[in-house]
Amino acid sequence: MYGQPIFDLPKDLYIPPEALEVILDAFEGPLDLLLYLIRKANINVLDIPMAPLTAQYLEYVEAMRRHNLELAADYLLMAATLLEIKSRMLLPRPSRPEEAEELDPRAELVRRLLEYEQIKRAAAGIDEMPRVERDFEWVGVFVAEKVVERLPGVSLHDLQLVWLKIARRSSLKRHHTIQREELSVREHMTLILRKLHEDAFVAFESLFDPSLGVPSLVVSFLATLELVKERLVVITQNEAFAPIYVKRAESAAGID
C-alpha cells in the first residue's frame, strides 16, 4: 500500500465469513472425485475395495458440505450409493445353485466409472485440438487484380519440329536432284511479309511451298527466323501443342 509491502493484516479489519470462497475445479462431479480417489490409491477399477474408498469419499463430501450444502448434494447421493454397495457386500449372501451366476454389487458402479473415464479422455483430446478464435484466427485475403490469360510461348524447338514435318512432306513429292541454285534469305523474307496481311494470323505451314524443294524450304525457314529476330513478325499459338500462327508485328507496318 502506497508503495510499501504489508505483511500483517490490520487488527481492526473486519472480514465477513462469505467474503472468501475457494472453488476447486479439479472435480467436475461425484464420478470425477471417485475416479480421482481410485487412481490416487492405485486401485484396480475392476476390483474396488469399498471400505477404504467409501471412508475417503465421505471425508471429501463432509468438507464440501461445511462450505456449500447445495454443491455437495450430488456427492451425497454418490456417498449413499457407496454405503449401499458396502453394506450389500458385508451382508451374508444366501446360498444359490451352482449354475446361477452371482451378481457383484460393484458392477454397475464400475461400468459408470469406465464410461466416464473414456468420455473424459475423449473430451481432453478434443480440447487439445486447435480451435478457431482460441489458438488461431482465420485470415482472408482479397485480390483485386485482374487475371490475364497468358498464352504459351513458341520456342525454337517448336519451329524446328514444324519445319521437319514440312520437309518430310516435301521429300515425298520430289526426287533427289543435285543442282546449284542461288537463294536469297532477304528475298524470302520479303515474300513472307507479302503473304502476311496486317492484323491477320496466317498458319505457319502455309508460308512454305513443299513443291519448291528442300533448299527453298531451308531458306524460307531461315528467313522466318530472321524476321522473328528483327521483330518484324510475331509467332504464337492458342495453347500447348496447338497449330502455330504468324502475324506481322507493328514495327513491320508499311513494309512490302
Side-chain angles (χ1 to χ4, degrees):
M1 182 176 294
Y2 299 108
Q4 299 296 328
I6 298 177
F7 300 99
D8 298 326
L9 292 176
K11 296 181 179 180
D12 57 346
L13 180 63
Y14 172 73
I15 301 177
E18 297 83 7
L20 181 62
E21 181 178 3
V22 179
I23 300 176
L24 299 178
D25 294 332
F27 309 121
E28 300 177 355
L31 286 176
D32 197 16
L33 173 58
L34 187 60
L35 188 63
Y36 166 76
L37 295 176
I38 292 174
R39 296 308 181 196
K40 181 181 178 181
N42 196 16
I43 301 172
N44 186 4
V45 71
L46 300 177
D47 188 16
I48 302 175
M50 297 305 301
L53 181 64
T54 304
Q56 294 181 18
Y57 191 89
L58 290 176
E59 291 180 3
Y60 276 89
V61 172
E62 182 62 24
M64 294 180 186
R65 189 184 62 82
R66 287 196 299 267
H67 292 86
N68 192 340
L69 182 60
E70 295 180 359
L71 180 64
D74 295 335
Y75 295 87
L76 288 173
L77 178 61
M78 177 58 68
T81 304
L82 294 176
L83 291 174
E84 180 188 3
I85 297 174
K86 178 182 177 182
S87 61
R88 289 174 60 186
M89 295 183 66
L90 293 176
L91 292 175
R93 302 174 184 177
S95 58
R96 295 185 179 181
E98 296 181 358
E99 294 79 7
E101 183 179 357
E102 185 177 359
L103 182 62
D104 192 344
R106 301 170 295 180
E108 179 63 21
L109 179 62
V110 170
R111 182 189 65 80
R112 292 174 59 186
L113 284 173
L114 292 176
E115 290 180 355
Y116 176 79
E117 186 176 21
Q118 183 179 6
I119 295 174
K120 186 176 180 180
R121 290 179 179 176
I126 295 175
D127 187 66
E128 292 177 358
M129 297 175 63
R131 187 182 305 173
V132 182
E133 296 182 357
R134 186 191 69 177
D135 302 317
F136 63 91
E137 297 288 342
W138 293 114
V139 178
V141 179
F142 176 75
V143 180
E145 297 181 0
K146 182 179 179 181
V147 179
V148 180
E149 183 180 0
R150 187 174 182 180
L151 299 177
V154 180
S155 63
L156 181 61
H157 180 66
D158 297 333
L159 297 178
Q160 180 184 4
L161 293 178
V162 177
W163 181 82
L164 289 176
K165 181 179 179 181
I166 299 172
R168 285 194 298 268
R169 191 186 309 166
S170 175
S171 62
L172 296 175
K173 294 185 179 180
R174 294 181 63 87
H175 297 287
H176 178 69
T177 57
I178 300 176
Q179 61 181 359
R180 183 178 180 181
E181 184 178 0
E182 295 183 358
L183 300 173
S184 172
V185 175
R186 287 292 174 181
E187 182 180 354
H188 280 73
M189 291 172 62
T190 304
L191 294 175
I192 292 174
L193 287 176
R194 289 178 180 177
K195 292 181 180 180
L196 298 176
H197 303 284
E198 295 183 359
D199 299 331
F201 288 94
V202 178
F204 181 77
E205 298 181 2
S206 65
L207 301 178
F208 303 89
D209 188 1
S211 62
L212 298 179
V214 175
S216 178
L217 294 178
V218 173
V219 176
S220 298
F221 184 71
L222 294 176
T224 305
L225 296 180
E226 285 294 330
L227 290 172
V228 175
K229 180 180 178 181
E230 296 179 7
R231 298 183 179 180
L232 297 177
V233 297
V234 177
I235 299 179
T236 184
Q237 59 184 166
N238 294 330
E239 57 185 5
F241 306 106
I244 298 175
Y245 294 93
V246 184
K247 177 186 176 183
R248 272 197 181 192
E250 295 181 0
S251 58
I255 299 178
D256 196 353

